[in-house]
Amino acid sequence: MAQPSRSPLSPDANAGRVVLVTGGGTGIGRATALAFAASGAKVAICGRRPEPLEAARAAAESLGAEVLVQQTDVREPEQVAHLVGAVLERFGRIDVLVNNAGGQFVAPLEAISLKGWRAVHRLNVDAVFDVTREVAERAMIPQRGGLVVTLGISPRRGSPLMAHSAAARAALENLAGSVAINWSRYGIRGVHIAAGVIDTEGLEGYGEDLRTQVRSVIPMGRFGTADEIGQLIAFLATSGGAYVTGTTIVVDGGMDAWGLGIAPPPPEAAP
């Protein structure tokens, strides 16, 4: 994959900071890890697949960063505990946690089973809480400082094909606010990023017809890039972003302001 676009941050903007990015082998996670690497941070990246992790390691090291990669399924508490321990053993602290790992499938609401709903929430909500709690208890609270970032979706309302994910990501927005108000006394900030449609590997699986339809209702007329999300998150960790907490930043080309903009299906007569 291509290297990140030129960073707006100075090469030492995040010098001395340690960032942990979940789901950091591909997409937004990878771009975020590289944005931190390019701005001087030490980077820990976790994910389930070793090949993307090693590729991300090589890319981050080529930018001069110290890098730790750890194969981890964040749905498993034992693996999360091992991950956090490995980062602390290597770097001694964790200043930024980017909860990027997540996933969902496309389905109309009536086709989502309870099992499917629980699977999406286990990854997108339960795992995020567990990683956040583990990092806070073992690193950020003792060191009296840190930034916790959660990733959501835009538009910030219901979705015709991803009700399970829309509900889960709304929970993450609330979690980031709760982090900010509960842990401000420890110097910990919480910020939620509501990302619009970002042109990553995962987007390719949604079919060209759906991609074309969605692109047509984005006011800026294009999908976002993973670099645009990653560089924003890297900025939030710098001194320039130090007063930002307890809020949601929408990065979606105007999609949330516009609304879905897609005609709803016509009402169906009763059988």
Side-chain angles (χ1 to χ4, degrees):
M1 293 181 62
Q3 291 291 315
S5 57
R6 183 176 179 181
S7 175
L9 301 177
S10 65
D12 62 350
N14 279 306
R17 295 186 176 92
V18 176
V19 57
L20 168 58
V21 183
T22 68
T26 60
I28 292 173
R30 174 191 166 104
T32 301
L34 296 186
F36 274 100
S39 56
K42 299 174 183 178
V43 181
I45 307 169
C46 80
R48 287 187 290 171
R49 295 182 293 147
E51 294 82 3
L53 287 176
E54 289 303 322
R57 180 211 296 271
E61 288 179 342
S62 74
L63 297 170
E66 292 185 51
V67 185
L68 170 70
V69 298
Q70 191 81 25
Q71 191 173 355
T72 305
D73 185 341
V74 293
R75 297 171 296 185
E76 302 298 334
E78 297 81 5
Q79 295 188 36
V80 169
H82 181 70
L83 165 69
V84 174
V87 178
L88 292 175
E89 181 178 2
R90 173 74 179 272
F91 296 128
R93 60 187 296 118
I94 300 173
D95 299 288
V96 184
L97 168 62
V98 182
N99 285 297
N100 171 73
Q104 57 275 317
F105 54 90
V106 174
L109 179 56
E110 65 273 18
I112 300 173
S113 67
L114 180 58
K115 181 179 180 180
W117 179 275
R118 286 174 171 168
V120 167
H121 280 246
R122 182 186 178 204
L123 175 58
N124 291 294
V125 181
D126 296 355
V128 171
F129 169 73
D130 187 36
V131 176
T132 299
R133 179 193 55 78
E134 192 80 16
V135 168
E137 288 186 356
R138 298 174 63 179
M140 292 183 178
I141 291 175
Q143 71 198 26
R144 292 298 191 267
L147 168 64
V148 175
V149 178
T150 58
L151 268 291
I153 57 176
S154 173
R156 297 162 62 201
R157 46 182 71 87
S159 170
L161 293 173
M162 291 197 295
H164 45 10
S165 185
R169 304 308 177 119
L172 295 186
E173 182 171 8
N174 193 281
L175 175 61
S178 294
V179 165
I181 61 178
N182 282 277
W183 291 342
S184 61
R185 66 188 188 275
Y186 302 128
I188 299 172
R189 295 184 290 131
V191 179
H192 184 71
I193 305 295
V197 185
I198 307 301
D199 198 2
T200 64
E201 302 92 329
L203 188 61
E204 298 172 1
Y206 291 104
E208 188 56 37
D209 288 346
L210 181 58
R211 286 162 54 97
T212 299
Q213 186 181 30
V214 172
R215 188 187 296 111
S216 70
V217 297
I218 299 174
M220 288 188 70
R222 66 173 178 86
F223 298 141
T225 69
D227 286 345
E228 288 170 324
I229 305 297
Q231 291 172 9
L232 170 63
I233 295 172
F235 164 75
L236 290 171
T238 71
S239 58
Y243 203 51
V244 180
T245 189
T247 192
T248 295
I249 301 175
V250 182
V251 192
D252 68 351
M255 194 173 183
D256 190 71
W258 183 257
L260 285 174
I262 301 172
E268 296 184 9

mmCIF file of all heavy atoms in Angstrom, residues 211-243:
data_model
loop_
_atom_site.group_PDB
_atom_site.id
_atom_site.type_symbol
_atom_site.label_atom_id
_atom_site.label_comp_id
_atom_site.label_asym_id
_atom_site.label_seq_id
_atom_site.Cartn_x
_atom_site.Cartn_y
_atom_site.Cartn_z
ATOM 1 N N ARG A 211 -21.569 1.655 -3.431
ATOM 2 C CA ARG A 211 -20.527 2.684 -3.332
ATOM 3 C C ARG A 211 -20.917 3.921 -4.141
ATOM 4 O O ARG A 211 -20.780 5.056 -3.680
ATOM 5 C CB ARG A 211 -19.193 2.134 -3.829
ATOM 6 C CG ARG A 211 -18.517 1.156 -2.872
ATOM 7 C CD ARG A 211 -17.458 0.328 -3.590
ATOM 8 N NE ARG A 211 -16.489 1.130 -4.296
ATOM 9 C CZ ARG A 211 -15.297 1.473 -3.815
ATOM 10 N NH1 ARG A 211 -14.953 1.073 -2.604
ATOM 11 N NH2 ARG A 211 -14.468 2.195 -4.524
ATOM 12 N N THR A 212 -21.422 3.700 -5.338
ATOM 13 C CA THR A 212 -21.829 4.812 -6.194
ATOM 14 C C THR A 212 -22.989 5.578 -5.579
ATOM 15 O O THR A 212 -23.020 6.816 -5.585
ATOM 16 C CB THR A 212 -22.221 4.290 -7.582
ATOM 17 O OG1 THR A 212 -21.085 3.644 -8.176
ATOM 18 C CG2 THR A 212 -22.686 5.428 -8.485
ATOM 19 N N GLN A 213 -23.947 4.870 -5.029
ATOM 20 C CA GLN A 213 -25.101 5.513 -4.408
ATOM 21 C C GLN A 213 -24.689 6.356 -3.223
ATOM 22 O O GLN A 213 -25.145 7.499 -3.066
ATOM 23 C CB GLN A 213 -26.116 4.450 -3.983
ATOM 24 C CG GLN A 213 -27.426 5.022 -3.455
ATOM 25 C CD GLN A 213 -28.402 3.941 -3.030
ATOM 26 O OE1 GLN A 213 -27.984 2.865 -2.605
ATOM 27 N NE2 GLN A 213 -29.691 4.227 -3.124
ATOM 28 N N VAL A 214 -23.817 5.815 -2.397
ATOM 29 C CA VAL A 214 -23.374 6.556 -1.210
ATOM 30 C C VAL A 214 -22.534 7.763 -1.617
ATOM 31 O O VAL A 214 -22.703 8.864 -1.076
ATOM 32 C CB VAL A 214 -22.591 5.630 -0.265
ATOM 33 C CG1 VAL A 214 -21.955 6.430 0.863
ATOM 34 C CG2 VAL A 214 -23.502 4.553 0.306
ATOM 35 N N ARG A 215 -21.639 7.589 -2.570
ATOM 36 C CA ARG A 215 -20.787 8.707 -3.003
ATOM 37 C C ARG A 215 -21.633 9.879 -3.507
ATOM 38 O O ARG A 215 -21.285 11.046 -3.318
ATOM 39 C CB ARG A 215 -19.823 8.254 -4.094
ATOM 40 C CG ARG A 215 -18.763 9.301 -4.458
ATOM 41 C CD ARG A 215 -17.938 8.886 -5.657
ATOM 42 N NE ARG A 215 -17.148 7.700 -5.417
ATOM 43 C CZ ARG A 215 -17.366 6.516 -5.985
ATOM 44 N NH1 ARG A 215 -18.380 6.362 -6.835
ATOM 45 N NH2 ARG A 215 -16.601 5.488 -5.730
ATOM 46 N N SER A 216 -22.760 9.584 -4.107
ATOM 47 C CA SER A 216 -23.600 10.630 -4.701
ATOM 48 C C SER A 216 -24.229 11.549 -3.662
ATOM 49 O O SER A 216 -24.694 12.638 -4.003
ATOM 50 C CB SER A 216 -24.694 9.993 -5.553
ATOM 51 O OG SER A 216 -25.665 9.334 -4.737
ATOM 52 N N VAL A 217 -24.271 11.127 -2.396
ATOM 53 C CA VAL A 217 -24.897 11.960 -1.363
ATOM 54 C C VAL A 217 -23.878 12.543 -0.385
ATOM 55 O O VAL A 217 -24.247 13.061 0.671
ATOM 56 C CB VAL A 217 -25.984 11.172 -0.599
ATOM 57 C CG1 VAL A 217 -27.094 10.760 -1.538
ATOM 58 C CG2 VAL A 217 -25.403 9.960 0.114
ATOM 59 N N ILE A 218 -22.601 12.469 -0.723
ATOM 60 C CA ILE A 218 -21.562 13.115 0.084
ATOM 61 C C ILE A 218 -21.326 14.504 -0.495
ATOM 62 O O ILE A 218 -20.938 14.633 -1.655
ATOM 63 C CB ILE A 218 -20.257 12.300 0.063
ATOM 64 C CG1 ILE A 218 -20.490 10.903 0.647
ATOM 65 C CG2 ILE A 218 -19.168 13.023 0.858
ATOM 66 C CD1 ILE A 218 -19.285 9.980 0.535
ATOM 67 N N PRO A 219 -21.576 15.562 0.262
ATOM 68 C CA PRO A 219 -21.438 16.912 -0.293
ATOM 69 C C PRO A 219 -20.088 17.187 -0.952
ATOM 70 O O PRO A 219 -20.026 17.914 -1.952
ATOM 71 C CB PRO A 219 -21.670 17.807 0.928
ATOM 72 C CG PRO A 219 -22.642 17.036 1.754
ATOM 73 C CD PRO A 219 -22.196 15.605 1.608
ATOM 74 N N MET A 220 -19.014 16.629 -0.411
ATOM 75 C CA MET A 220 -17.699 16.858 -1.016
ATOM 76 C C MET A 220 -17.466 15.997 -2.246
ATOM 77 O O MET A 220 -16.461 16.148 -2.943
ATOM 78 C CB MET A 220 -16.584 16.638 0.012
ATOM 79 C CG MET A 220 -16.515 17.745 1.053
ATOM 80 S SD MET A 220 -15.055 17.629 2.143
ATOM 81 C CE MET A 220 -13.738 18.040 0.985
ATOM 82 N N GLY A 221 -18.385 15.065 -2.521
ATOM 83 C CA GLY A 221 -18.338 14.310 -3.764
ATOM 84 C C GLY A 221 -17.291 13.225 -3.834
ATOM 85 O O GLY A 221 -16.998 12.715 -4.914
ATOM 86 N N ARG A 222 -16.747 12.825 -2.698
ATOM 87 C CA ARG A 222 -15.727 11.773 -2.699
ATOM 88 C C ARG A 222 -15.721 11.058 -1.366
ATOM 89 O O ARG A 222 -16.250 11.564 -0.371
ATOM 90 C CB ARG A 222 -14.338 12.350 -2.963
ATOM 91 C CG ARG A 222 -13.815 13.273 -1.840
ATOM 92 C CD ARG A 222 -12.379 13.683 -2.078
ATOM 93 N NE ARG A 222 -11.864 14.590 -1.063
ATOM 94 C CZ ARG A 222 -11.314 14.228 0.098
ATOM 95 N NH1 ARG A 222 -11.225 12.935 0.417
ATOM 96 N NH2 ARG A 222 -10.840 15.125 0.945
ATOM 97 N N PHE A 223 -15.097 9.875 -1.340
ATOM 98 C CA PHE A 223 -14.861 9.189 -0.081
ATOM 99 C C PHE A 223 -13.657 9.824 0.612
ATOM 100 O O PHE A 223 -12.784 10.419 -0.032
ATOM 101 C CB PHE A 223 -14.588 7.707 -0.315
ATOM 102 C CG PHE A 223 -15.730 6.960 -0.948
ATOM 103 C CD1 PHE A 223 -15.501 5.992 -1.902
ATOM 104 C CD2 PHE A 223 -17.041 7.220 -0.581
ATOM 105 C CE1 PHE A 223 -16.547 5.298 -2.489
ATOM 106 C CE2 PHE A 223 -18.103 6.534 -1.145
ATOM 107 C CZ PHE A 223 -17.853 5.573 -2.116
ATOM 108 N N GLY A 224 -13.608 9.670 1.925
ATOM 109 C CA GLY A 224 -12.446 10.122 2.662
ATOM 110 C C GLY A 224 -11.302 9.141 2.526
ATOM 111 O O GLY A 224 -11.453 8.028 2.006
ATOM 112 N N THR A 225 -10.124 9.547 2.973
ATOM 113 C CA THR A 225 -8.968 8.661 2.965
ATOM 114 C C THR A 225 -8.595 8.296 4.399
ATOM 115 O O THR A 225 -8.856 9.055 5.341
ATOM 116 C CB THR A 225 -7.756 9.308 2.281
ATOM 117 O OG1 THR A 225 -7.266 10.387 3.101
ATOM 118 C CG2 THR A 225 -8.127 9.852 0.902
ATOM 119 N N ALA A 226 -7.975 7.152 4.543
ATOM 120 C CA ALA A 226 -7.527 6.718 5.861
ATOM 121 C C ALA A 226 -6.514 7.691 6.444
ATOM 122 O O ALA A 226 -6.491 7.932 7.659
ATOM 123 C CB ALA A 226 -6.936 5.312 5.768
ATOM 124 N N ASP A 227 -5.671 8.280 5.589
ATOM 125 C CA ASP A 227 -4.695 9.250 6.069
ATOM 126 C C ASP A 227 -5.358 10.451 6.713
ATOM 127 O O ASP A 227 -4.856 10.993 7.710
ATOM 128 C CB ASP A 227 -3.814 9.727 4.911
ATOM 129 C CG ASP A 227 -2.811 8.686 4.465
ATOM 130 O OD1 ASP A 227 -2.605 7.710 5.217
ATOM 131 O OD2 ASP A 227 -2.248 8.842 3.370
ATOM 132 N N GLU A 228 -6.502 10.883 6.171
ATOM 133 C CA GLU A 228 -7.176 12.050 6.732
ATOM 134 C C GLU A 228 -7.661 11.778 8.149
ATOM 135 O O GLU A 228 -7.664 12.678 8.993
ATOM 136 C CB GLU A 228 -8.337 12.458 5.816
ATOM 137 C CG GLU A 228 -7.849 13.081 4.511
ATOM 138 C CD GLU A 228 -8.949 13.284 3.486
ATOM 139 O OE1 GLU A 228 -9.861 12.430 3.397
ATOM 140 O OE2 GLU A 228 -8.881 14.287 2.753
ATOM 141 N N ILE A 229 -8.070 10.549 8.413
ATOM 142 C CA ILE A 229 -8.475 10.196 9.772
ATOM 143 C C ILE A 229 -7.252 10.041 10.664
ATOM 144 O O ILE A 229 -7.194 10.567 11.783
ATOM 145 C CB ILE A 229 -9.297 8.896 9.779
ATOM 146 C CG1 ILE A 229 -10.489 8.994 8.830
ATOM 147 C CG2 ILE A 229 -9.756 8.573 11.200
ATOM 148 C CD1 ILE A 229 -11.488 10.048 9.188
ATOM 149 N N GLY A 230 -6.252 9.319 10.177
ATOM 150 C CA GLY A 230 -5.060 9.059 10.978
ATOM 151 C C GLY A 230 -4.328 10.318 11.387
ATOM 152 O O GLY A 230 -3.883 10.457 12.531
ATOM 153 N N GLN A 231 -4.206 11.263 10.464
ATOM 154 C CA GLN A 231 -3.483 12.491 10.779
ATOM 155 C C GLN A 231 -4.244 13.357 11.776
ATOM 156 O O GLN A 231 -3.635 14.023 12.628
ATOM 157 C CB GLN A 231 -3.179 13.248 9.488
ATOM 158 C CG GLN A 231 -2.150 12.534 8.630
ATOM 159 C CD GLN A 231 -1.966 13.161 7.263
ATOM 160 O OE1 GLN A 231 -2.474 14.233 6.980
ATOM 161 N NE2 GLN A 231 -1.236 12.479 6.396
ATOM 162 N N LEU A 232 -5.568 13.330 11.708
ATOM 163 C CA LEU A 232 -6.359 14.047 12.705
ATOM 164 C C LEU A 232 -6.128 13.466 14.096
ATOM 165 O O LEU A 232 -5.929 14.202 15.071
ATOM 166 C CB LEU A 232 -7.839 13.981 12.346
ATOM 167 C CG LEU A 232 -8.804 14.484 13.426
ATOM 168 C CD1 LEU A 232 -8.582 15.966 13.708
ATOM 169 C CD2 LEU A 232 -10.244 14.205 13.036
ATOM 170 N N ILE A 233 -6.162 12.143 14.205
ATOM 171 C CA ILE A 233 -5.956 11.510 15.503
ATOM 172 C C ILE A 233 -4.560 11.818 16.040
ATOM 173 O O ILE A 233 -4.381 12.101 17.233
ATOM 174 C CB ILE A 233 -6.198 9.994 15.405
ATOM 175 C CG1 ILE A 233 -7.673 9.722 15.065
ATOM 176 C CG2 ILE A 233 -5.816 9.285 16.705
ATOM 177 C CD1 ILE A 233 -7.971 8.265 14.757
ATOM 178 N N ALA A 234 -3.563 11.783 15.160
ATOM 179 C CA ALA A 234 -2.203 12.107 15.590
ATOM 180 C C ALA A 234 -2.120 13.544 16.096
ATOM 181 O O ALA A 234 -1.418 13.838 17.073
ATOM 182 C CB ALA A 234 -1.220 11.884 14.444
ATOM 183 N N PHE A 235 -2.856 14.454 15.458
ATOM 184 C CA PHE A 235 -2.874 15.842 15.932
ATOM 185 C C PHE A 235 -3.474 15.944 17.331
ATOM 186 O O PHE A 235 -2.987 16.697 18.186
ATOM 187 C CB PHE A 235 -3.669 16.731 14.977
ATOM 188 C CG PHE A 235 -4.042 18.062 15.575
ATOM 189 C CD1 PHE A 235 -3.091 19.062 15.725
ATOM 190 C CD2 PHE A 235 -5.331 18.297 16.032
ATOM 191 C CE1 PHE A 235 -3.429 20.277 16.319
ATOM 192 C CE2 PHE A 235 -5.674 19.509 16.624
ATOM 193 C CZ PHE A 235 -4.717 20.507 16.766
ATOM 194 N N LEU A 236 -4.546 15.193 17.584
ATOM 195 C CA LEU A 236 -5.214 15.276 18.887
ATOM 196 C C LEU A 236 -4.281 14.917 20.038
ATOM 197 O O LEU A 236 -4.482 15.369 21.168
ATOM 198 C CB LEU A 236 -6.436 14.356 18.906
ATOM 199 C CG LEU A 236 -7.617 14.786 18.036
ATOM 200 C CD1 LEU A 236 -8.663 13.682 17.987
ATOM 201 C CD2 LEU A 236 -8.223 16.089 18.538
ATOM 202 N N ALA A 237 -3.275 14.101 19.762
ATOM 203 C CA ALA A 237 -2.332 13.700 20.808
ATOM 204 C C ALA A 237 -1.276 14.757 21.087
ATOM 205 O O ALA A 237 -0.607 14.701 22.120
ATOM 206 C CB ALA A 237 -1.649 12.389 20.414
ATOM 207 N N THR A 238 -1.123 15.732 20.191
ATOM 208 C CA THR A 238 -0.093 16.754 20.361
ATOM 209 C C THR A 238 -0.550 17.833 21.327
ATOM 210 O O THR A 238 -1.712 17.879 21.750
ATOM 211 C CB THR A 238 0.249 17.422 19.015
ATOM 212 O OG1 THR A 238 -0.856 18.252 18.592
ATOM 213 C CG2 THR A 238 0.553 16.386 17.944
ATOM 214 N N SER A 239 0.346 18.751 21.634
ATOM 215 C CA SER A 239 0.000 19.872 22.508
ATOM 216 C C SER A 239 -1.087 20.734 21.876
ATOM 217 O O SER A 239 -1.872 21.378 22.581
ATOM 218 C CB SER A 239 1.243 20.713 22.805
ATOM 219 O OG SER A 239 1.829 21.187 21.590
ATOM 220 N N GLY A 240 -1.166 20.735 20.549
ATOM 221 C CA GLY A 240 -2.199 21.521 19.874
ATOM 222 C C GLY A 240 -3.597 20.991 20.100
ATOM 223 O O GLY A 240 -4.573 21.743 20.025
ATOM 224 N N GLY A 241 -3.719 19.694 20.388
ATOM 225 C CA GLY A 241 -5.033 19.107 20.613
ATOM 226 C C GLY A 241 -5.332 18.844 22.069
ATOM 227 O O GLY A 241 -6.332 18.192 22.393
ATOM 228 N N ALA A 242 -4.510 19.388 22.971
ATOM 229 C CA ALA A 242 -4.567 18.998 24.380
ATOM 230 C C ALA A 242 -5.815 19.445 25.117
ATOM 231 O O ALA A 242 -6.104 18.935 26.202
ATOM 232 C CB ALA A 242 -3.330 19.535 25.106
ATOM 233 N N TYR A 243 -6.585 20.392 24.564
ATOM 234 C CA TYR A 243 -7.790 20.863 25.249
ATOM 235 C C TYR A 243 -9.051 20.241 24.655
ATOM 236 O O TYR A 243 -10.167 20.617 25.022
ATOM 237 C CB TYR A 243 -7.860 22.392 25.175
ATOM 238 C CG TYR A 243 -8.705 23.034 26.249
ATOM 239 C CD1 TYR A 243 -8.521 22.723 27.597
ATOM 240 C CD2 TYR A 243 -9.671 23.982 25.918
ATOM 241 C CE1 TYR A 243 -9.289 23.321 28.583
ATOM 242 C CE2 TYR A 243 -10.445 24.589 26.901
ATOM 243 C CZ TYR A 243 -10.246 24.257 28.239
ATOM 244 O OH TYR A 243 -11.017 24.855 29.212
#
